Amino acid sequence: MTLSGQIAIAGAYEHPTRFAPDKSESLIMAESARGALEEAGLRLADVDGLFAAGISMGPMGVVNLAEYLNIKPRYLDGTNIGGSSFVAHVSHAAAAIHAGLCEVALILYGSTAASSAMAIGTGLGGGGRDPEAAFVAPYGMTTVGSYALVARRHMHLYGTTPEQLAEIAVTMRQHASLNPEAKMQKRIDVADVLESRMISTPLHLLDCCIISDGGGAVIVTSLERARDLKQPPIVLRGCGEAVCHQEIGSPDLLTIAAKQSSEEAFAMSGLSHDDVDLCTIYDSFTITLLVTLENLGFCKPGEGGAFVEAGRIGLSGALPVNPDGGGLSSNHPGMRGIFLVIEAARQLRGGMGERQVDGAEVALVHGTGGTLGAIHSGATLLLSRD
Amino acid sequence: MAKQEIEYRAPATNWQTRGFWEGCGRGELVLQRCGDCGTVQHKPRGICASCLSSALEHFVACGRGRVYTYTVTHQNNMPGFRDACPYVLAYVDLEEGPRLMTQVAGCEPDAVEIGMAVKADFVDTGDGLGVPRFVPA
Ligand SMILES: [Zn+2]
């Protein structure tokens, strides 16, 4: 009955755009669908499951998207749990395929966050007239500020330094310098990060992800069918989801959803941490990546600062993370989870040139959605070569 | 020198939350305690989120707590906050248990520390309502 080893990613396409004032979200999604279907050797008519989430998609967004694509899938999933949604869509699609409710699932994301000048990081707060939001809205919690609350607590308890956080941004930029499609390719050093403008202490501008346009598509199907398609199948070995918040009981702010979701994914997969050759981890901010590594179990709570030093998460390190340059340097069109899945699949297929992780057999994908210091979701996948 | 003055507006309320904001208008921090399981909860709800009992009672908290974590916000482009930068966003753990997101005011932002003792301070927003922030105790 287990999902593990039954389902595969058969298509993974990242839209090359980083700035697309001439395109709509739907168009970016449709062009991404074209790219993924072409590389998989499938046609639009083969798609019978549609999965999508977006910043501007309304409550019936996935229905409108089916109309835009002129398809009539028999399975629809518009789950939106923040930027991690597309990681969760893979496991939802796997369950639906395993249950026989669809066979070829298309997962889409598209966004014009940059060209429509969304102030994702520091434009929130104020809260409008929602009584439920009134307990946060008066205080001006920005997205950056929410993550900064986590970073400050981590520094206080464990002595984590701004230099250690900066090391993460430097490594992501090194990776991006090898990715011709990355938005930010110019190498930086720790001093550049520390000298960049303070946004919300202790997070500087270069501790924060960039804002870009972009989108992507992932195709999920049975492993059996994937073996007949054009790309080497990337097999789903384990998955998990979780939610975390700061409500009743004063929970530990540094225990995040990644702990629960990754424990479930590892248990399902039968794999251990030593089996993992690379990770793609949502790096909305440097602290996000650091605290996620701890909660995924790659190091103990409090050891994340030392863990990311000396190039350990670099391409030639013991645990390469985000070979594409991540949200800190490659692209971040508002909700980045789909690129975590795409880059993991591409790396496992191989042939990624200068940024290829040598001998990549197993990848861990982890997406965070929402705001880490307030309410957030987490979704983990373990993927492997066939 | 920080201005630190967020322009607080009257909070949006509903029947579940109005008692809290009216308490702030009187200078009182009103919390909910479950009559069945004893859990103190915040934010206010029409039900106990620990045992789903409806037997909730309200009481006035002492207003004292400690800073659990904080950040000095240097950039917020929204009106009402832009000119208040740098201001301190914080979680405060109340003596009664609940954790509140809030502002720490009444001192230089650089003087705020984790573990610092703070007490509630109320900004009157008119119509009998108020918003709580915290200042050094
Ligand atoms: Zn109760």
Side-chain angles (χ1 to χ4, degrees), chain A residues 55-112:
Chain A
I55 300 173
S56 314
M57 289 174 91
M60 279 180 57
V62 74
V63 176
N64 296 327
L65 179 62
E67 182 206 42
Y68 187 90
L69 293 168
N70 191 32
I71 58 174
K72 291 180 176 171
R74 60 189 174 119
Y75 196 88
L76 294 165
D77 186 334
T79 299
N80 188 333
I81 56 171
S84 56
S85 297
F86 316 93
V87 182
H89 288 167
V90 173
S91 47
H92 295 190
I97 293 161
H98 195 55
L101 299 178
C102 64
E103 191 181 357
V104 175
L106 176 63
I107 303 169
L108 294 178
Y109 181 61
S111 162
T112 56

Side-chain angles (χ1 to χ4, degrees), chain A residues 156-177:
Chain A
H156 173 78
L157 281 187
Y158 301 120
T160 308
T161 65
E163 287 79 6
Q164 289 171 327
L165 290 173
E167 189 91 16
I168 294 170
V170 171
T171 305
M172 293 307 107
R173 187 63 64 86
Q174 274 171 1
H175 295 174
S177 75

